[in-house]
């Protein structure tokens, strides 16, 4: 019988009152060393093999849940609330994290780029947390909201339909303005095609574990960065580039701790 434990590999002997294993055939093995000594045995015994799990976890030495077996990209056994116990729910959470990660990466890049243009004076752009209140000449806010609602709703509906029936949205007649062949999905969450994968990366999506891992790691980092931007804007009322400049100009006296203390005083 094999039992998986973390970070240790050894064999143990467990005594039993069973007649399944003759005493003369028992070989005690501990930490890879063989000891041919039968005097210590009870009448009957059997051997249990314990093997190590060679996979990283979010907390070293922690045994991950059984349903997180390391096959998912970025799986480090982190699920303290047990949200992924149901296999169907786990599939949806994987897709939800992937979409949020991509939005976060796009958001972080957009915030930093526009804030850099604003701080350097290249463009007269509003700070990112006030951009939503900007009025545009070509359309009013209500019109933009309705257009965005329709477009995002259409795309998200198609994504959900592809999640429920993988590959269905790349078939002819699936109502994607004749672009079905260009959006042929590699698997749910990875649409591929010349429009969304112009460089032809990860064509063999089943064996693209390293690229998937890089994407989800960067996505998780971007989600944490967005949380930092939200807190930063609420406390300092300036953009991230301005905060960075202030910190670099006086790194020992302009830190997150001092800023938080000053905001509460």
């Amino acid at each position: 019988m094999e039992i998986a434990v973390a970070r240790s590999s050894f064999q143990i002997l467990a005594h039993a009152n069973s007649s399944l294993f003759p005493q003369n055939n028992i070989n005690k093995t501990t930490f890879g060393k063989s000891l041919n000594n039968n005097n210590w045995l009870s009448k009957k015994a059997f051997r249990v093999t314990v093997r190590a799990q060679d996979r990283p976890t979010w907390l070293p030495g922690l045994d991950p849940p059984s349903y997180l077996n390391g096959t998912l990209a970025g799986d480090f056994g982190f699920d303290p609330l047990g949200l992924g116990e149901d296999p169907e729910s786990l599939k949806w959470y994987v897709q939800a994290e992937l979409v949020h990660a991509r939005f976060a990466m796009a958001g972080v890049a957009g915030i930093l780029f526009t804030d850099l243009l604003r701080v350097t004076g290249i463009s007269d752009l509003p700070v990112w947390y006030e951009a939503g209140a900007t009025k545009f000449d070509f359309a009013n806010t209500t019109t933009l909201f309705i257009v965005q609602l329709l477009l995002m709703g259409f795309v998200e509906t198609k994504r959900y339909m592809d999640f429920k029936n993988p590959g269905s949205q790349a078939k002819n007649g699936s109502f994607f303005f004749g672009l079905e062949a260009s959006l042929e999905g590699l698997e749910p969450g990875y649409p591929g095609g010349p429009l969304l994968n112009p460089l032809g990366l990860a064509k063999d999506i089943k064996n693209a574990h390293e690229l998937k891992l890089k994407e989800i790691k960067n996505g998780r980092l971007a989600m944490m960065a967005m949380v930092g931007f939200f807190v930063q804007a609420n406390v300092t009322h300036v953009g991230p580039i301005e905060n960075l400049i202030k910190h670099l100009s006086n790194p020992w006296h302009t830190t997150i701790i001092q800023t938080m203390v000053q905001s509460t005083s």
Side-chain angles (χ1 to χ4, degrees), residues 11-234:
Q11 294 179 326
I12 63 174
L13 276 167
H15 295 278
N17 293 322
S18 170
S19 60
L20 294 176
F21 301 91
Q23 181 177 350
N24 294 333
N25 294 332
I26 299 299
N27 179 25
K28 178 181 178 184
T29 308
T30 305
F31 298 99
K33 296 180 180 180
S34 179
L35 301 175
N36 294 317
N37 182 4
N38 293 331
N39 295 331
W40 65 278
L41 291 172
S42 63
K43 290 184 178 181
K44 308 296 176 187
F46 66 93
R47 187 175 65 183
V48 179
T49 303
V50 182
R51 290 186 177 179
Q53 281 193 348
D54 187 17
R55 60 168 293 197
T57 56
W58 69 278
L59 186 63
L62 179 71
D63 291 333
S66 59
Y67 52 86
L68 296 179
N69 54 16
T71 57
L72 295 172
D75 174 14
F76 296 99
F78 182 80
D79 188 17
L81 300 180
L83 299 177
E85 291 182 359
D86 177 57
E88 294 301 318
S89 297
L90 180 60
K91 291 179 182 178
W92 178 250
Y93 289 139
V94 168
Q95 296 301 312
E97 182 187 33
L98 189 59
V99 170
H100 282 80
R102 289 168 177 170
F103 271 115
M105 287 188 284
V108 168
I111 288 172
L112 293 176
F113 180 69
T114 55
D115 210 43
L116 185 63
L117 294 179
R118 182 181 60 83
V119 171
T120 56
I122 296 176
S123 178
D124 186 20
L125 295 170
V127 66
W128 72 269
Y129 52 83
E130 294 179 352
T134 303
K135 303 294 182 180
F136 297 96
D137 296 332
F138 61 88
N140 58 44
T141 303
T142 304
T143 302
L144 291 175
F145 174 75
I146 294 175
V147 171
Q148 181 178 3
L149 188 65
L150 292 174
L151 292 178
M152 289 296 297
F154 174 76
V155 172
E156 285 298 292
T157 300
K158 301 293 281 185
R159 184 176 69 85
Y160 179 75
M161 293 170 67
D162 189 69
F163 169 75
K164 298 297 290 184
N165 187 11
S168 62
Q169 302 310 297
K171 297 178 180 178
N172 291 332
S174 62
F175 188 60
F176 218 112
F177 309 109
L179 300 176
E180 294 87 357
S182 299
L183 296 171
E184 184 175 359
L186 302 176
E187 67 179 44
Y190 300 92
L195 292 180
L196 298 178
N197 188 17
L199 299 180
L201 301 176
K203 287 185 176 181
D204 184 9
I205 197 65
K206 299 298 183 183
N207 296 316
H209 185 76
E210 184 177 354
L211 291 176
K212 289 181 178 179
L213 180 61
K214 289 179 179 179
E215 181 184 35
I216 200 62
K217 280 185 173 182
N218 282 279
R220 289 169 178 170
L221 182 62
M223 287 189 281
M224 294 300 297
M226 285 302 303
V227 174
F229 287 173
F230 294 150
V231 175
Q232 199 175 50
N234 184 62

